[in-house]
Amino acid sequence: YEELEREIARRGVVYVQVRAGDAITYGNSTFAIVSPDKQDIADKELNESSLVVLFKTEKLRALYTGDIGAKTEKKLAARTDLSAQVLKVPHHGSKFSSSQAFVSAVHPQAAVIGVGKNSYGHPTAQTLERLAGAGAEVFRTDRDGTVKITVKDENLLMFKQK
């Protein structure tokens, strides 16, 4: 991280640090920063301070969750409307994330799991079952390649691009 900061300074790149409550708006789209807050940033478990963003347009809500675990999921579900048609599944579908309460709060139509070959067993069968139980169609980058999401005529369209 320190090397990244040095490179940013060397190149004169302007950057902005964001935290819960901030938002970036572009046209009719908003990127609402849901997490982390000051408390999350101070957490010794770095995954719990992952950036969580709710992307909103007139016709689409998509929740991008980084590597948050059940602790942050519980906190967010208690204080934020997390409902979204698309969920970027937290922590690669690990057993430490995608709790039943969280999946129910988001209630996604589509769930995208960013995962590759790994020795952790990601995504876990339990996570896949919870997502299926919520009615989400699951897309996995290890099997489906790049996943492209678009909205056309109020319909959510998902494409696999191997």
Side-chain angles (χ1 to χ4, degrees):
Y1 182 75
E2 290 168 353
E3 185 177 331
L4 174 64
E5 285 182 319
R6 283 191 298 274
E7 189 64 18
I8 287 170
R10 185 184 75 74
R11 293 184 184 202
V13 174
V14 177
Y15 71 97
V16 177
Q17 293 179 329
V18 294
R19 68 174 72 148
D22 292 338
I24 300 166
T25 301
Y26 181 78
N28 293 328
S29 301
T30 300
F31 295 87
I33 310 304
V34 179
S35 188
D37 60 19
K38 283 185 178 182
Q39 182 182 0
D40 300 323
I41 292 169
D43 195 314
K44 292 190 188 321
E45 176 53 53
L46 292 178
N47 285 344
E48 300 301 344
S49 65
S50 289
L51 185 63
V52 179
V53 178
L54 180 61
F55 173 70
K56 300 183 277 188
T57 68
E58 290 178 27
K59 300 181 182 190
L60 175 70
R61 288 171 60 100
L63 185 64
Y64 299 90
T65 58
D67 276 347
I68 63 170
K71 176 181 173 183
T72 300
E73 290 176 357
K74 182 177 180 180
K75 184 168 97 171
L76 294 178
R79 71 172 193 210
T80 308
D81 175 10
L82 298 176
S83 62
Q85 294 106 314
V86 179
L87 170 65
K88 191 300 257 169
V89 176
H91 204 185
H92 317 287
S94 85
K95 66 181 179 182
F96 301 110
S97 65
S98 304
S99 65
Q100 184 63 55
F102 183 75
V103 171
S104 294
V106 178
H107 197 71
Q109 295 172 18
V112 180
I113 303 173
V115 66
K117 254 185 157 173
N118 65 85
S119 60
Y120 302 105
H122 298 160
T124 63
Q126 299 92 326
T127 295
L128 295 172
E129 288 170 13
R130 285 191 290 271
L131 293 167
E137 184 173 357
V138 176
F139 296 85
R140 297 171 46 167
T141 58
D142 61 338
R143 294 184 182 168
D144 301 322
T146 301
V147 178
K148 183 177 178 182
I149 305 163
T150 61
V151 177
K152 184 175 181 180
D153 300 324
E154 299 189 28
N155 294 309
L156 186 65
L157 304 174
M158 306 286 292
F159 300 95
K160 303 173 191 179
Q161 298 178 324
K162 278 237 175 208

